[in-house]
Amino acid sequence: MATLVCFHAHPDDESIATAGTMALAADAGHDVVLVVATRGELGEPQPGVLADGEELWQRRVRETHESAGILGAGRVEFLGYHDSGMMGDPTNDDPRCFWQADVGEAAERLAQVLREVRADVLTIYDDHGGYGHPDHIQVHRVGRLAAERVGVSRVFQSTMNRDHILEMMREAASQLEAAVAEDPDQREIDDDFGSPAAIITHAIDVRPVLARKRASMQAHRSQIGPETFFLKMPEEAFRSAFGTEWYIELGRFRLAGEPYRTDLFDGLG
């Protein structure tokens, strides 16, 4: 069997982006490793969730291990960088933060893990970090360089399918009362949010493990409380939004009309 390494920026990112892929891989007998660049120190905790004297990063580390257990990841590693905050925040200038890290040095930290576990497949983010978050962009840069150093040739950029999201928005708008609905054709999302379907190569159907994906989100209770939008979504809406995980394989393209590939491990072994 193979070894899958999923590289993320913060605790809970794995739940939203690659949780289903990780669970499916573990169920198939592959080794699954979760690597997180930061401990998510700058997250906004849910009210009342922290114990007296408890630091947010301490809770988020525990939540990450709980999530990993739900998904079947056998190893969790933190690279030791500090959360950078959102793009443009003063925290981007903190010399401890991941955004300020030397890419080569950070890549070597990740490369050490890749060597130890003999990684076959690596997931990172797309080149704009999904929505422009500095730590997500840095995951892309660091992950690509680490893979080159170690010789991991199967690198998949986790992304969101912008066209799929727009279609869901249009369908939701069509169900609203005409008096208050916006024109669906006028609904837009930022150009740096996700990726167009045309450049996405892989669509992983994670509906068979969707309950575990939701449980993985729930494990990150300091950030994703029961009243959070994700967890309040009706089951069918959650299935539509999170039932497929999307990737762009480095060095591979999908021709117009060609179906999405559906297996990150296809051809290995």
Side-chain angles (χ1 to χ4, degrees):
M1 306 306 289
T3 298
L4 167 67
V5 177
C6 291
F7 182 34
H8 287 282
H10 317 98
D12 83 16
D13 286 338
E14 86 288 348
S15 296
I16 297 167
T18 66
T21 301
M22 295 166 69
L24 288 172
D27 288 353
H30 300 298
D31 290 330
V32 179
V33 178
L34 173 60
V35 180
V36 190
T38 80
R39 296 185 177 95
E41 295 88 347
L42 298 180
E44 297 182 5
Q46 294 287 305
V49 72
L50 296 179
D52 290 343
E54 183 181 27
E55 298 286 346
L56 177 59
W57 71 265
Q58 296 172 317
R59 173 62 65 90
R60 298 196 75 180
V61 167
R62 289 200 298 272
E63 291 172 344
T64 301
H65 282 276
E66 181 180 345
S67 168
I70 292 167
L71 301 176
R75 178 170 174 172
V76 177
E77 294 284 347
F78 289 88
L79 294 190
Y81 294 100
H82 199 276
D83 192 343
S84 305
M86 300 299 289
M87 185 67 82
D89 287 353
T91 51
N92 296 170
D93 298 325
D94 186 336
R96 302 171 300 166
C97 79
F98 191 43
W99 183 238
Q100 291 295 329
D102 178 84
V103 172
E105 190 274 338
E108 189 55 34
R109 292 192 193 185
L110 176 59
Q112 289 177 8
V113 178
L114 298 179
R115 293 186 190 104
E116 288 176 11
V117 302
R118 298 184 179 181
D120 299 290
V121 178
L122 173 67
T123 73
I124 56 174
Y125 302 132
D126 57 27
D127 59 2
H128 56 90
Y131 60 100
H133 193 294
D135 287 334
H136 289 226
I137 295 171
Q138 194 78 318
V139 161
H140 173 85
R141 296 170 176 170
V142 169
R144 287 195 66 166
L145 181 55
E148 291 174 6
R149 288 183 176 180
V150 178
V152 178
S153 60
R154 304 291 291 273
V155 180
F156 296 88
Q157 304 167 90
S158 174
T159 190
M160 294 163 283
N161 187 325
R162 188 184 304 158
D163 298 277
H164 177 65
I165 294 170
L166 284 169
E167 183 58 32
M168 287 194 300
M169 292 170 62
R170 295 186 184 107
E171 289 177 359
S174 69
Q175 297 171 9
L176 298 177
E177 293 292 335
V180 297
E182 298 176 13
D183 180 356
D185 292 331
Q186 297 303 312
R187 288 190 166 224
E188 297 180 354
I189 56 177
D190 293 339
D191 288 341
D192 67 349
F193 189 89
S195 302
I199 68 170
I200 294 174
T201 60
H202 286 67
I204 309 302
D205 181 0
V206 302
R207 290 174 296 178
V209 293
L210 201 56
R212 283 160 66 191
K213 185 179 177 88
R214 186 190 285 266
S216 171
M217 292 182 183
Q218 291 171 323
H220 291 283
R221 55 189 63 85
S222 71
Q223 304 297 300
I224 308 176
E227 298 302 310
T228 304
F229 171 73
F230 291 159
L231 298 183
K232 290 188 69 175
M233 293 174 71
E235 184 175 346
E236 187 55 38
F238 189 87
R239 180 178 293 268
S240 178
F242 293 106
T244 305
E245 292 175 354
W246 310 92
Y247 297 92
I248 305 165
E249 184 176 3
L250 284 180
R252 178 173 282 187
F253 301 93
R254 185 170 62 88
L255 300 176
E258 182 182 3
Y260 295 111
R261 297 172 178 88
T262 59
D263 184 359
L264 304 191
F265 301 92
D266 184 40
L268 284 175

PDB file of all heavy atoms in Angstrom, residues 22-37:
ATOM      1  N   MET A  22      -8.682  11.515   3.175  1.00  0.00           N
ATOM      2  CA  MET A  22      -7.886  10.841   4.205  1.00  0.00           C
ATOM      3  C   MET A  22      -8.607   9.602   4.727  1.00  0.00           C
ATOM      4  O   MET A  22      -8.001   8.534   4.866  1.00  0.00           O
ATOM      5  CB  MET A  22      -7.588  11.813   5.344  1.00  0.00           C
ATOM      6  CG  MET A  22      -6.698  12.984   4.949  1.00  0.00           C
ATOM      7  SD  MET A  22      -6.667  14.322   6.176  1.00  0.00           S
ATOM      8  CE  MET A  22      -5.797  13.522   7.522  1.00  0.00           C
ATOM      9  N   ALA A  23      -9.902   9.734   5.004  1.00  0.00           N
ATOM     10  CA  ALA A  23     -10.667   8.607   5.533  1.00  0.00           C
ATOM     11  C   ALA A  23     -10.751   7.470   4.523  1.00  0.00           C
ATOM     12  O   ALA A  23     -10.593   6.292   4.872  1.00  0.00           O
ATOM     13  CB  ALA A  23     -12.062   9.071   5.938  1.00  0.00           C
ATOM     14  N   LEU A  24     -10.996   7.812   3.263  1.00  0.00           N
ATOM     15  CA  LEU A  24     -11.061   6.781   2.224  1.00  0.00           C
ATOM     16  C   LEU A  24      -9.722   6.072   2.074  1.00  0.00           C
ATOM     17  O   LEU A  24      -9.667   4.846   1.906  1.00  0.00           O
ATOM     18  CB  LEU A  24     -11.477   7.407   0.897  1.00  0.00           C
ATOM     19  CG  LEU A  24     -12.927   7.862   0.761  1.00  0.00           C
ATOM     20  CD1 LEU A  24     -13.123   8.630  -0.533  1.00  0.00           C
ATOM     21  CD2 LEU A  24     -13.895   6.687   0.834  1.00  0.00           C
ATOM     22  N   ALA A  25      -8.631   6.838   2.122  1.00  0.00           N
ATOM     23  CA  ALA A  25      -7.301   6.244   1.987  1.00  0.00           C
ATOM     24  C   ALA A  25      -7.013   5.296   3.150  1.00  0.00           C
ATOM     25  O   ALA A  25      -6.496   4.186   2.952  1.00  0.00           O
ATOM     26  CB  ALA A  25      -6.241   7.335   1.920  1.00  0.00           C
ATOM     27  N   ALA A  26      -7.352   5.724   4.361  1.00  0.00           N
ATOM     28  CA  ALA A  26      -7.120   4.874   5.523  1.00  0.00           C
ATOM     29  C   ALA A  26      -7.951   3.596   5.429  1.00  0.00           C
ATOM     30  O   ALA A  26      -7.469   2.499   5.727  1.00  0.00           O
ATOM     31  CB  ALA A  26      -7.454   5.634   6.801  1.00  0.00           C
ATOM     32  N   ASP A  27      -9.199   3.724   5.001  1.00  0.00           N
ATOM     33  CA  ASP A  27     -10.072   2.553   4.866  1.00  0.00           C
ATOM     34  C   ASP A  27      -9.534   1.569   3.834  1.00  0.00           C
ATOM     35  O   ASP A  27      -9.757   0.358   3.943  1.00  0.00           O
ATOM     36  CB  ASP A  27     -11.482   2.985   4.478  1.00  0.00           C
ATOM     37  CG  ASP A  27     -12.222   3.671   5.617  1.00  0.00           C
ATOM     38  OD1 ASP A  27     -11.695   3.692   6.748  1.00  0.00           O
ATOM     39  OD2 ASP A  27     -13.323   4.207   5.368  1.00  0.00           O
ATOM     40  N   ALA A  28      -8.839   2.103   2.822  1.00  0.00           N
ATOM     41  CA  ALA A  28      -8.288   1.246   1.770  1.00  0.00           C
ATOM     42  C   ALA A  28      -6.964   0.602   2.185  1.00  0.00           C
ATOM     43  O   ALA A  28      -6.394  -0.181   1.415  1.00  0.00           O
ATOM     44  CB  ALA A  28      -8.090   2.054   0.488  1.00  0.00           C
ATOM     45  N   GLY A  29      -6.469   0.920   3.373  1.00  0.00           N
ATOM     46  CA  GLY A  29      -5.241   0.307   3.863  1.00  0.00           C
ATOM     47  C   GLY A  29      -3.991   1.143   3.682  1.00  0.00           C
ATOM     48  O   GLY A  29      -2.891   0.692   4.028  1.00  0.00           O
ATOM     49  N   HIS A  30      -4.127   2.354   3.142  1.00  0.00           N
ATOM     50  CA  HIS A  30      -2.966   3.222   2.985  1.00  0.00           C
ATOM     51  C   HIS A  30      -2.601   3.859   4.326  1.00  0.00           C
ATOM     52  O   HIS A  30      -3.458   4.061   5.194  1.00  0.00           O
ATOM     53  CB  HIS A  30      -3.261   4.328   1.967  1.00  0.00           C
ATOM     54  CG  HIS A  30      -3.614   3.828   0.599  1.00  0.00           C
ATOM     55  ND1 HIS A  30      -2.735   3.085  -0.165  1.00  0.00           N
ATOM     56  CD2 HIS A  30      -4.750   3.947  -0.144  1.00  0.00           C
ATOM     57  CE1 HIS A  30      -3.311   2.787  -1.322  1.00  0.00           C
ATOM     58  NE2 HIS A  30      -4.534   3.289  -1.318  1.00  0.00           N
ATOM     59  N   ASP A  31      -1.328   4.185   4.502  1.00  0.00           N
ATOM     60  CA  ASP A  31      -0.895   4.961   5.655  1.00  0.00           C
ATOM     61  C   ASP A  31      -1.219   6.430   5.401  1.00  0.00           C
ATOM     62  O   ASP A  31      -0.947   6.949   4.309  1.00  0.00           O
ATOM     63  CB  ASP A  31       0.607   4.803   5.891  1.00  0.00           C
ATOM     64  CG  ASP A  31       0.976   3.412   6.393  1.00  0.00           C
ATOM     65  OD1 ASP A  31       0.141   2.786   7.074  1.00  0.00           O
ATOM     66  OD2 ASP A  31       2.088   2.951   6.079  1.00  0.00           O
ATOM     67  N   VAL A  32      -1.779   7.090   6.396  1.00  0.00           N
ATOM     68  CA  VAL A  32      -2.177   8.487   6.261  1.00  0.00           C
ATOM     69  C   VAL A  32      -1.467   9.309   7.322  1.00  0.00           C
ATOM     70  O   VAL A  32      -1.507   8.971   8.518  1.00  0.00           O
ATOM     71  CB  VAL A  32      -3.703   8.656   6.388  1.00  0.00           C
ATOM     72  CG1 VAL A  32      -4.095  10.126   6.277  1.00  0.00           C
ATOM     73  CG2 VAL A  32      -4.425   7.829   5.326  1.00  0.00           C
ATOM     74  N   VAL A  33      -0.813  10.379   6.891  1.00  0.00           N
ATOM     75  CA  VAL A  33      -0.052  11.257   7.779  1.00  0.00           C
ATOM     76  C   VAL A  33      -0.564  12.681   7.600  1.00  0.00           C
ATOM     77  O   VAL A  33      -0.740  13.149   6.467  1.00  0.00           O
ATOM     78  CB  VAL A  33       1.455  11.195   7.445  1.00  0.00           C
ATOM     79  CG1 VAL A  33       2.244  12.152   8.348  1.00  0.00           C
ATOM     80  CG2 VAL A  33       1.977   9.768   7.580  1.00  0.00           C
ATOM     81  N   LEU A  34      -0.808  13.352   8.718  1.00  0.00           N
ATOM     82  CA  LEU A  34      -1.254  14.746   8.691  1.00  0.00           C
ATOM     83  C   LEU A  34      -0.122  15.633   9.192  1.00  0.00           C
ATOM     84  O   LEU A  34       0.389  15.429  10.302  1.00  0.00           O
ATOM     85  CB  LEU A  34      -2.496  14.916   9.573  1.00  0.00           C
ATOM     86  CG  LEU A  34      -2.997  16.348   9.800  1.00  0.00           C
ATOM     87  CD1 LEU A  34      -3.364  17.022   8.492  1.00  0.00           C
ATOM     88  CD2 LEU A  34      -4.177  16.340  10.772  1.00  0.00           C
ATOM     89  N   VAL A  35       0.260  16.617   8.386  1.00  0.00           N
ATOM     90  CA  VAL A  35       1.288  17.589   8.770  1.00  0.00           C
ATOM     91  C   VAL A  35       0.642  18.969   8.771  1.00  0.00           C
ATOM     92  O   VAL A  35      -0.029  19.354   7.814  1.00  0.00           O
ATOM     93  CB  VAL A  35       2.484  17.571   7.793  1.00  0.00           C
ATOM     94  CG1 VAL A  35       3.537  18.596   8.236  1.00  0.00           C
ATOM     95  CG2 VAL A  35       3.101  16.176   7.727  1.00  0.00           C
ATOM     96  N   VAL A  36       0.848  19.723   9.856  1.00  0.00           N
ATOM     97  CA  VAL A  36       0.239  21.039  10.009  1.00  0.00           C
ATOM     98  C   VAL A  36       1.340  22.061  10.269  1.00  0.00           C
ATOM     99  O   VAL A  36       2.192  21.864  11.145  1.00  0.00           O
ATOM    100  CB  VAL A  36      -0.794  21.051  11.155  1.00  0.00           C
ATOM    101  CG1 VAL A  36      -1.590  22.359  11.139  1.00  0.00           C
ATOM    102  CG2 VAL A  36      -1.746  19.858  11.056  1.00  0.00           C
ATOM    103  N   ALA A  37       1.325  23.146   9.518  1.00  0.00           N
ATOM    104  CA  ALA A  37       2.408  24.127   9.609  1.00  0.00           C
ATOM    105  C   ALA A  37       2.373  24.911  10.913  1.00  0.00           C
ATOM    106  O   ALA A  37       3.418  25.218  11.495  1.00  0.00           O
ATOM    107  CB  ALA A  37       2.336  25.085   8.424  1.00  0.00           C
TER     108      ALA A  37
END
